[in-house]
Amino acid sequence: MGRLDGKVVFITGAARGQGRAHAVRAAAEGADIIGVDICADIDSNQYPLARREDLEETERQVAKQGRRMVARVADVRDRGALAGALADGVAEFGRLDGVVAQAAICPLGTTDGSAFVDAVAVDFCGVFNTIEAALPHLGAGASIVATGSLAALVPGSLDNVAKGSGGLGYSWAKRAVASLVHDLAAALASRNIRANAVHPTNVNTDMLNSDVMYQVFRPDLAEPGRADALESFTSQTAMGIPYVEPEDIADAVLFLLSDESRYITGLQMRVDAGGYVKLRPQAPAF
Ligand SMILES: NC(=O)c1ccc[n+]([C@@H]2O[C@H](COP(=O)([O-])OP(=O)(O)OC[C@H]3O[C@@H](n4cnc5c(N)ncnc54)[C@H](O)[C@@H]3O)[C@@H](O)[C@H]2O)c1
């Protein structure tokens, strides 16, 4: 018996990183997958996004689990493309039970205002578009999971002028995702549809392992590399690790997609190795 037997899950940003981990983990527990990814770059974002071959690799890994995947190239900013991908997937599998809205960019290292706009368009509007496209297909017992970030919960971590306009946009979008999920949970509860957010600390994916991220974490060095950034990454957790793995987030998402969490909604679930309890803002003593 799998924990998602008979379910169909829609995942955005499914080509690599956490999205792929969610697809493979859900498939291993019995779900079929509908997955989309932009498979192209966005100008203001200074590290490469996924490619079509990455999405094909996710399809292969889902097939290895004995499950099927309908994979489409689609930009979460494009509501028509999301609706089309979902229509294809639901025609193939006959239902939709879960949504993981997690495609995002983190366009740090620039003061160009387009980085702010692009971060909000992908990281917040993309989540909203995903939920809007999925809702007509969801029935009682369905589960929506949106990926936020510890940046939503710890002011000053990325919403910091020194980290550029993209950091401000990323943080704004992630705070808005947290707020959206909270109110969406209230709005959908009477239909027995749940909505929860997962907030990761640093995760060992291409988003983190990029030159622009190293530079933001080590502004004191001219050309920092991964080794230089590790110490700074580690300062963001309480448990002495620099990052968690995509599979650590997939375990949390799996729980929220499964019926084991059937009465959990509106949750802001942190997977952060104690980052929040270490870094959260403290009330002034006097
Ligand atoms: N990696 C981290 O340190 C970290 C920390 C906190 C939160 N997060 C969040 O985790 C989620 C997953 O990120 P990741 O770490 O796997 O990074 P990633 O860059 O490896 O994966 C993101 C995926 O989203 C896709 N994507 C980007 N823009 C898109 C668009 N407009 N339409 C469709 N697909 C698009 C990319 O091509 C890529 O495959 C994101 O929401 C991110 O903000 C990541």
Side-chain angles (χ1 to χ4, degrees):
M1 280 287 285
R3 292 160 70 189
L4 299 181
D5 271 347
K7 293 188 191 286
V8 176
V9 177
F10 179 46
I11 302 170
T12 66
R16 73 180 190 195
Q18 294 173 58
R20 179 186 288 164
H22 300 327
V24 174
R25 189 80 173 94
E29 293 293 341
D32 290 317
I33 308 297
I34 307 168
V36 298
D37 201 288
I38 189 171
C39 297
D41 292 338
I42 293 176
D43 284 349
S44 64
N45 194 66
Q46 292 181 29
Y47 59 91
L49 298 177
R51 294 290 177 263
R52 196 178 273 266
E53 306 82 71
D54 297 312
L55 190 57
E56 287 164 2
E57 176 58 23
T58 301
E59 273 185 276
R60 268 192 294 279
Q61 293 195 23
V62 166
K64 263 177 138 176
Q65 306 299 326
R67 305 310 312 175
R68 290 181 296 159
M69 176 169 178
V70 168
R72 296 286 180 271
V73 173
D75 186 334
V76 294
R77 294 171 295 182
D78 180 345
R79 294 153 94 181
L82 291 177
L86 271 166
D88 290 351
V90 172
E92 180 78 16
F93 301 133
R95 55 187 296 142
L96 183 67
D97 305 278
V99 178
V100 188
Q102 68 104 54
I105 57 173
C106 191
L108 302 177
T110 171
T111 52
D112 187 336
S114 64
F116 182 93
V117 172
D118 290 342
V120 172
V122 176
D123 301 356
F124 175 71
C125 303
V127 169
F128 189 79
N129 291 342
T130 301
I131 292 166
E132 185 189 32
L135 260 182
H137 302 286
L138 298 175
S143 170
I144 297 167
V145 183
T147 303
S149 169
L150 206 58
L153 308 178
V154 179
S157 48
L158 283 182
D159 52 337
N160 176 331
V161 177
K163 301 203 167 144
S165 48
L168 289 165
Y170 183 87
S171 303
W172 188 93
K174 294 299 189 179
R175 284 195 303 272
V177 165
S179 174
L180 170 71
V181 160
H182 187 266
D183 292 350
L184 193 67
L188 297 179
S190 63
R191 288 172 60 185
N192 193 15
I193 298 174
R194 301 181 292 111
N196 294 291
V198 169
H199 296 287
T201 181
N202 297 323
V203 187
N204 191 19
T205 66
D206 291 317
M207 182 182 283
L208 185 72
N209 294 308
S210 65
D211 288 341
V212 65
M213 194 66 82
Y214 303 152
Q215 188 67 69
V216 160
F217 273 88
R218 290 303 305 268
D220 53 315
L221 299 179
E223 287 187 6
R226 190 169 191 267
D228 300 311
L230 281 181
E231 194 182 320
S232 186
F233 290 162
T234 303
S235 71
Q236 296 204 318
T237 71
M239 298 176 84
I241 56 165
Y243 44 68
V244 300
E245 296 296 335
E247 292 71 21
D248 295 309
I249 311 302
D251 283 339
V253 167
L254 169 65
F255 170 69
L256 293 172
L257 289 173
S258 78
D259 294 339
E260 294 157 21
S261 58
R262 65 185 176 153
Y263 295 126
I264 296 177
T265 194
L267 181 70
Q268 311 285 332
M269 182 190 266
R270 304 185 303 265
V271 183
D272 66 350
Y276 179 77
V277 293
K278 179 177 178 183
L279 301 170
R280 75 191 163 90
Q282 304 287 335
F286 49 84

